[in-house]
């Protein structure tokens, strides 16, 4: 039985994109207060084995062959890099000559074993949601010992050696990183990481939107400021 799950194929920049979740339940090294998947019962940053994935790989291979898929986007319930078969999954997709995009929160991109895996992908998405050490611990509740400083430097060093497309996703959160000082700090981080593409987003989940969502006008202002650098 396959436990991968899929979204409907959609078109992005003229390419048919298939999003796949490879984790049976949430596994992440953070436990963000606004996580749309819920609490992290399994806060983890080392690889973990799940059920046999042979039938899941066969199903994924069949979908790629039978549908017009031009990019596979591994967007999982948490941090996909902790799946111990992530290499096999990427290798299967690449063997079908389809490019791979992988979403990571970005923290693990500083570790050798994960750098090698990420380097196999054509596109990597790294993220940032907090802009002070205090907020990082308070709202993203990472594994003990993690720091915002290390988080950013992990993405900076990763992208220095990465040959693919690094996409940097910044989430603007009301009351946490929407003031001028934060925007200035984010600009500096963008310069340090030097991504190929920047995505600015905000809280869209209905549950968190009311408290942490940012108004259209301010969001537009911040987006323009960040996208213009
Ligand atoms: S990094 Fe993403 S998946 Fe992990 S807890 Fe935070 S919002 Fe959820």
């Amino acid at each position: 039985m396959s436990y991968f799950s899929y979204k409907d194929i959609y078109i992005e920049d003229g390419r048919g994109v298939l999003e796949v979740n490879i984790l049976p339940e949430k596994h992440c090294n953070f436990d963000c207060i606004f996580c749309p998947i819920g609490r992290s019962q399994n806060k983890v940053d080392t690889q973990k084995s799940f059920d046999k994935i042979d039938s899941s790989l066969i199903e994924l291979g069949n979908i790629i062959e039978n549908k017009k898929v031009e990019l596979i986007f591994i967007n999982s319930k948490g941090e996909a890099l902790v799946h111990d078969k992530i290499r096999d999954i990427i290798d299967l997709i690449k063997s079908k000559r389809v490019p791979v995009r992988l979403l990571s929160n970005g923290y693990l991109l500083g570790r050798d074993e994960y750098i090698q895996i990420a380097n196999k992908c054509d596109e990597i998405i790294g993220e940032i949601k907090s802009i002070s050490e205090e907020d990082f611990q308070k709202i993203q509740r990472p594994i003990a010992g993690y720091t915002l400083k290390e988080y950013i430097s992990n993405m900076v060093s990763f992208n220095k050696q990465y040959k693919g497309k690094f996409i940097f996703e910044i989430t603007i959160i009301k009351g946490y990183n929407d003031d001028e000082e934060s925007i200035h700090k984010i600009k500096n981080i963008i310069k340090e990481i030097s991504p190929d593409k920047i995505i600015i987003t905000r809280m869209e989940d209905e549950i968190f939107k009311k408290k942490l969502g940012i108004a259209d006008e301010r969001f537009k202002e911040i987006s323009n400021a960040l996208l213009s650098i």
Side-chain angles (χ1 to χ4, degrees), residues 7 11 27 42 45 48 81 107 131 133 139 146 176 188 208 210 212:
K7 286 194 179 161
I11 303 295
H27 285 78
N42 311 291
D45 64 0
K48 187 176 163 178
L81 288 169
Y107 206 100
I131 208 66
E133 204 65 67
I139 65 173
Y146 278 26
Y176 287 95
N188 287 337
F208 305 107
K210 206 168 163 202
L212 303 172

Side-chain angles (χ1 to χ4, degrees), residues 30-33 39 43 136-142:
F30 295 178
D31 183 18
C32 302
I33 59 167
R39 294 296 310 267
K43 242 196 278 188
F136 179 51
Q137 304 299 334
K138 188 173 141 199
I139 65 173
Q140 297 203 261
R141 301 183 296 199

Side-chain angles (χ1 to χ4, degrees), residues 26-38 40 76-79 105 127 129 140 151:
K26 183 180 177 188
H27 285 78
C28 194
N29 46 352
F30 295 178
D31 183 18
C32 302
I33 59 167
F34 41 72
C35 183
I37 316 164
S40 299
S76 290
K77 288 182 186 169
E79 179 54 79
N105 59 35
E127 305 176 322
K129 292 183 166 92
Q140 297 203 261
Y151 186 9

Side-chain angles (χ1 to χ4, degrees), residues 13-14 22 44 67 85 88 93 105 114 123 139 148 162 172 181 202 226-227:
D13 298 332
I22 61 168
V44 62
K67 304 209 168 157
K85 297 289 187 305
D88 297 341
I93 301 164
N105 59 35
Y114 295 121
E123 299 180 14
I139 65 173
L148 180 67
Y162 183 50
I172 304 300
E181 196 190 332
R202 58 182 163 173
L226 295 178
L227 292 171

Side-chain angles (χ1 to χ4, degrees), residues 165-184:
K165 180 176 177 178
F166 190 80
I167 302 164
F168 188 41
E169 187 175 297
I170 302 150
T171 307
I172 304 300
I173 304 174
K174 188 164 85 183
Y176 287 95
N177 62 7
D178 59 337
D179 59 304
E180 285 312 314
E181 196 190 332
S182 299
I183 302 309
H184 181 70

Side-chain angles (χ1 to χ4, degrees), residues 113-161:
E113 66 272 32
Y114 295 121
I115 292 171
Q116 285 170 26
I117 296 168
N119 280 345
K120 287 168 157 289
C121 300
D122 303 85
E123 299 180 14
I124 292 287
I125 304 180
E127 305 176 322
I128 198 148
K129 292 183 166 92
S130 340
I131 208 66
S132 75
E133 204 65 67
E134 194 190 342
D135 288 346
F136 179 51
Q137 304 299 334
K138 188 173 141 199
I139 65 173
Q140 297 203 261
R141 301 183 296 199
I143 284 177
Y146 278 26
T147 64
L148 180 67
K149 195 172 172 216
E150 186 176 56
Y151 186 9
I152 294 161
S153 82
N154 285 348
M155 287 189 275
V156 171
S157 59
F158 173 76
N159 201 29
K160 280 207 169 98
Q161 59 80 57

